[in-house]
Amino acid sequence: ERISDEFKSFLDSGIYRLDGSKVVFVDPVRLLNDSYSRFRISPSSYYSRSFQSTDRRRVVEEVNVPSISKKKRKRKKTPRDLNEREKSAEKRHQEARSLLLKAHRAFLEAAELQTFLPKLVKCVEFSRGGETEEKNFIELGSCWQAPLYEIGLCFPKSNEGEDSWLANHVGRTVVPLFNNLISHETNDEVEAEFNNSQYILPGRSCFYMSDLRQIRNLIPAKSDQGFNLIVIDPPWENGSARQKAAYPTLPNRYFLYLPVKELAHAEGALVALWMTNREKLHMFVEKDLFPAWGVTNVTLCYWLKVKPDGSLIGELDLFHHRPYEYLLLGYINMENIDSECMPAVNLEDARVIISIPGVHSRKPALGKLLWDHIPGNKPVKCIELFARELMAGWTSWGNEPLHFQDSRYFVEK
Ligand code: SAM
């Protein structure tokens, strides 16, 4: 069967453009694989979340005839008047709704993509490691021994083909694991070892594992050494007790003190902020957080979550469990951004990102999607705050940036 150029390019890049590019379907595994040469992300460990499948006919029907009967039922169920916040949440949802339905329809109409989806998530493979229990860096970093923990970085020998352990592990360096900027300049992956677990560090990656209190150590000495892309996925408080196990959360006011402005490059920085659906949060970001960080020219994008069968992970109109989240894009030091190198200041073509979600709260990597909109001279500098993984050439900060670097999440090429 003939495959389209778009699909061919998707197999390579992980990005499939739909609906005149306003909608993209992404495979986060392929996006991440850009960071690796000797290893690959294990699809079965990424797509480990299981979903109840929906009847395909219903999927298509739902998107074409958004069920009126259901809406009627719901209206009957909530006769009380909505309060102000609920009203404004509903308004926000209605704005998103038709755009998301249209995006979902375009995605379902991409037949070659639909046929391929089950294969995307079901792969037979043997991942590396995983014999030992996964480390809880959040706990380790907050105990009194934290300053004593060390990680060993094993730099591969450049060319000689000797096969002995020694030849492959020359240049082993041991450095403190917490509250320490750990970086390496090797273009290839570097393998690291901590307490009987193996970690894969992508080429030229850099990380700082610490609590929020130490984040100021990342502020560059000069503002022309700052970052051109700042991706932030804060541990927002959720309100639901269900979520509490995955990681600790922080009250909103803490984020006001994140030194985002100080991390930004003097010539301009693109800020990408992930956001959940809570209405309180939207008001906070708009009125307090972005002004405090100096973020302007904000564009709204959506992340729509689908199952491997193409259906949404939840009903679009369910009030508390929307199948989408928000991604806000904005700029810092906008006045210094050279319009020549920044033609597309309004990010009109990146409105909806569709993907099959991995484990709780794991977001698709944004570097490639945002590439054309990052201000500054190449090579640009990119940082992720509250990261749980590393990327080639990026700096990652958080209290567990090594989490998904455990070798259990990788297969050897
Ligand atoms: N973007 C990540 C991903 O795709 O996997 C998820 C980030 S998650 C929403 C927020 C992260 O912030 C968690 O890893 C959590 O442990 C971390 N975090 C919570 N409190 C923190 C603190 N006080 N200092 C540093 N990191 C913290």
Side-chain angles (χ1 to χ4, degrees):
E1 219 178 295
R2 265 185 62 84
I3 57 169
S4 72
D5 289 344
E6 190 54 47
F7 189 70
K8 249 186 250 160
S9 124
F10 164 75
L11 290 177
D12 189 44
S13 68
I15 301 175
Y16 192 104
R17 291 177 196 281
L18 296 149
D19 192 27
S21 289
K22 283 206 183 243
V23 181
V24 291
F25 172 79
V26 298
D27 173 17
V29 171
R30 285 180 161 76
L31 293 178
L32 283 174
N33 278 337
D34 258 9
S35 282
Y36 302 92
S37 54
R38 288 188 295 129
F39 295 90
R40 323 231 98 220
I41 303 287
S42 136
S44 65
S45 74
Y46 191 98
Y47 292 115
S48 60
R49 194 159 148 185
S50 60
F51 297 101
Q52 241 170 13
S53 58
T54 319
D55 175 24
R56 176 78 196 170
R57 250 198 341 242
R58 256 199 61 204
V59 175
V60 178
E61 267 168 26
E62 284 263 321
V63 79
N64 288 324
V65 196
S67 49
I68 297 153
S69 58
K70 227 180 261 160
K71 259 174 120 188
K72 268 194 189 149
R73 237 188 296 137
K74 225 179 270 158
R75 222 172 269 152
K76 257 189 211 157
K77 256 197 230 160
T78 52
R80 72 189 173 98
D81 279 332
L82 298 175
N83 65 32
E84 281 310 308
R85 191 182 288 164
E86 285 166 332
K87 267 187 210 149
S88 122
E90 190 50 34
K91 185 168 166 270
R92 209 180 286 279
H93 174 62
Q94 289 307 326
E95 278 163 18
R97 201 175 182 280
S98 58
L99 189 71
L100 292 173
L101 277 175
K102 193 163 165 260
H104 191 212
R105 203 174 302 136
F107 164 68
L108 288 175
E109 279 164 7
E112 51 187 0
L113 196 53
Q114 295 301 317
T115 322
F116 185 70
L117 284 186
K119 278 187 227 133
L120 196 72
V121 296
K122 275 214 188 70
C123 263
V124 183
E125 63 192 20
F126 300 95
S127 80
R128 263 171 68 103
E131 294 86 10
T132 54
E133 210 185 308
E134 218 167 333
K135 301 276 180 293
N136 185 336
F137 291 111
I138 306 175
E139 242 168 52
L140 290 168
S142 53
C143 68
W144 68 267
Q145 298 99 324
L148 305 174
Y149 289 125
E150 292 181 318
I151 186 167
L153 309 183
C154 313
F155 294 98
K157 196 174 179 181
S158 47
N159 35 40
E160 270 94 317
E162 249 176 279
D163 229 358
S164 70
W165 188 90
L166 207 73
N168 284 313
H169 292 79
V170 284
R172 191 169 190 277
T173 318
V174 177
V175 292
L177 179 59
F178 293 102
N179 301 321
N180 184 23
L181 191 67
I182 300 175
S183 67
H184 75 91
E185 293 303 318
T186 319
N187 279 322
D188 262 2
E189 295 90 316
V190 160
E191 287 173 65
E193 195 204 13
F194 168 64
N195 205 352
N196 292 325
S197 291
Q198 256 63 49
Y199 297 88
I200 315 294
L201 314 184
R204 296 164 290 103
S205 60
C206 178
F207 70 95
Y208 193 94
M209 184 143 61
S210 78
D211 184 69
L212 187 62
R213 279 163 291 190
Q214 279 80 37
I215 193 182
R216 301 196 74 86
N217 293 335
L218 283 171
I219 299 173
K222 296 188 192 136
S223 61
D224 61 355
Q225 293 164 347
F227 296 93
N228 308 93
L229 172 61
I230 305 176
V231 174
I232 313 171
D233 185 15
W236 302 116
E237 279 180 339
N238 188 271
S240 92
R242 245 173 9 103
Q243 203 214 339
K244 66 175 186 276
Y247 50 76
T249 58
L250 291 170
N252 286 351
R253 63 176 186 282
Y254 282 62
F255 305 125
L256 292 170
Y257 301 104
L258 279 177
V260 178
K261 206 174 170 51
E262 290 94 323
L263 290 169
H265 199 287
E267 280 164 25
L270 173 60
V271 173
L273 178 72
W274 288 103
M275 246 173 86
T276 55
N277 264 299
R278 296 186 78 197
E279 190 53 28
K280 211 173 123 189
L281 205 57
H282 283 265
M283 308 210 200
F284 169 71
V285 170
E286 222 168 275
K287 300 218 164 66
D288 303 307
L289 195 61
F290 274 178
W293 291 350
V295 175
T296 59
N297 299 70
V298 180
T299 308
L300 183 63
C301 299
Y302 303 93
W303 174 35
L304 186 64
K305 296 179 257 186
V306 293
K307 297 180 190 175
D309 63 14
S311 65
L312 301 179
I313 63 160
E315 252 183 72
L316 192 56
D317 293 321
L318 266 189
F319 198 83
H320 288 291
H321 301 279
R322 305 271 194 230
Y324 64 93
E325 291 185 38
Y326 294 83
L327 175 69
L328 295 185
L329 305 173
Y331 287 96
I332 293 182
N333 299 330
M334 185 70 190
E335 61 286 2
N336 300 342
I337 298 177
D338 179 1
S339 56
E340 286 286 299
C341 77
M342 269 289 324
V345 166
N346 69 348
L347 302 149
E348 269 301 305
D349 59 343
R351 295 297 300 274
V352 184
I353 301 167
I354 306 180
S355 77
I356 301 169
V359 294
H360 174 73
S361 204
R362 194 169 187 187
K363 310 295 191 300
L366 292 175
K368 220 191 227 169
L369 285 172
L370 299 179
W371 194 247
D372 293 337
H373 307 293
I374 307 172
N377 297 323
K378 307 272 144 67
V380 290
K381 284 180 69 189
C382 308
I383 189 168
E384 184 175 351
L385 307 183
F386 300 106
R388 290 193 295 188
E389 65 197 345
L390 311 182
M391 274 170 299
W394 284 55
T395 300
S396 298
W397 168 82
N399 61 11
E400 49 173 350
L402 279 190
H403 183 85
F404 291 120
Q405 301 309 127
D406 189 309
S407 59
R408 78 186 63 223
Y409 296 110
F410 291 86
V411 285
E412 233 162 315
K413 243 182 165 178

